[in-house]
């Protein structure tokens, strides 16, 4: 009888720990959304790896600039402008990727540098719907979609990576392809 009890407790414990491990990215996303709604920067920042987030955003900005230069044909003046723009990307990203802007992106599903007092295109109480895509055991991408928009609308993606057993951090914000 004791052996069955121990086996049952062990199975239950394994199921609870495994369930927590599996759903931990969803819990992190919900925690971040709640912290953003409450404007609790300390709680929100526990789930963000800002150095990785800035690096990924710098890479996206550089790719956008290179794409624009490739489309324009690359005259000398445009190449000079691209070089100067490339030099400014680091400062722009460092100034742009701040807790209040990242929190706003989690609230609205949009990533824009509008000040908190400026109006957005959506009402404040309208929240995006989030679709989740798992990439293996250590990466999850959540896409924010406007519930009123068609399904083919481009969406902002937030990428979470596992840190430790069940701790997840935001490491990348993916801008919509083609709609940058």
């Amino acid at each position: 009888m004791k052996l069955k009890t121990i086996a049952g407790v062990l199975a239950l414990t394994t199921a609870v720990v495994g369930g927590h491990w599996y759903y931990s990215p969803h819990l992190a996303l919900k925690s971040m959304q709640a912290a953003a709604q409450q404007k609790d920067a300390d709680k929100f920042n526990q789930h963000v790896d800002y150095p990785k987030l800035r690096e990924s955003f710098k890479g996206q900005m550089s790719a956008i600039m290179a794409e624009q230069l490739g489309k324009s044909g690359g005259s000398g003046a445009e190449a000079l402008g691209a070089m100067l723009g490339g030099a400014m990307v680091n400062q722009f990203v460092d100034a742009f990727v701040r807790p209040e802007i990242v929190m706003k992106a989690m609230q609205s599903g949009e990533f824009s540098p509008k000040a908190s007092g400026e109006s957005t295109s959506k009402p404040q109480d309208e929240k995006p719907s989030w679709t989740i895509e798992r990439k293996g055991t250590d990466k999850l991408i959540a896409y924010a979609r406007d519930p009123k928009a068609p399904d083919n609308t481009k969406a902002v993606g937030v990428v979470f990576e596992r840190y430790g057993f069940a701790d997840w951090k935001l490491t990348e914000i993916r801008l919509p392809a083609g709609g940058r």
Side-chain angles (χ1 to χ4, degrees):
M1 186 72 153
K2 265 188 167 182
L3 188 57
K4 285 185 179 181
T5 305
I6 291 172
V9 169
L10 185 60
L12 180 63
T13 302
T14 302
V16 168
V17 170
H20 177 69
W21 178 85
Y22 183 80
Y23 288 106
S24 60
H26 301 276
L27 298 173
L29 180 62
K30 294 290 184 199
S31 176
M32 288 181 75
Q33 289 171 334
Q37 293 296 333
Q38 297 167 357
K39 298 186 181 1
D40 185 350
D42 291 333
K43 187 175 177 184
F44 184 85
N45 290 338
Q46 291 174 357
H47 297 287
V48 181
D49 184 344
Y50 283 103
K52 267 189 151 178
L53 184 61
R54 286 185 181 100
E55 285 304 313
S56 78
F57 200 64
K58 287 175 187 178
Q60 288 183 68
M61 295 298 292
S62 296
I64 290 169
M65 291 179 65
E67 181 181 322
Q68 292 300 320
L69 182 61
K71 285 181 182 177
S72 67
S75 72
E78 290 169 349
L80 178 63
M83 283 183 7
L84 291 174
M88 294 177 59
V89 164
N90 289 344
Q91 288 79 15
F92 170 75
V93 169
D94 289 341
F96 188 63
V97 180
R98 301 185 318 257
E100 60 271 13
I101 292 176
V102 177
M103 283 174 55
K104 183 174 182 256
M106 290 298 294
Q107 287 174 315
S108 67
E110 297 175 348
F111 196 69
S112 64
K114 292 179 184 172
S116 59
E118 291 183 40
S119 65
T120 61
S121 59
K122 292 193 279 188
Q124 288 286 354
D125 59 343
E126 189 175 313
K127 297 177 184 173
S129 65
W130 292 87
T131 57
I132 307 294
E133 178 183 341
R134 284 189 96 98
K135 297 286 188 176
T137 59
D138 295 332
K139 187 179 270 191
L140 178 129
I141 306 170
Y143 294 99
R145 297 196 186 282
D146 184 345
K148 296 178 182 174
D151 286 342
N152 63 350
T153 304
K154 294 171 178 55
V156 170
V158 290
V159 179
F160 291 89
E161 290 183 11
R162 183 184 309 277
Y163 283 68
F165 177 70
D167 187 25
W168 290 79
K169 293 192 186 266
L170 176 66
T171 59
E172 182 180 349
I173 294 179
R174 292 187 180 173
L175 300 174
R180 298 174 189 183

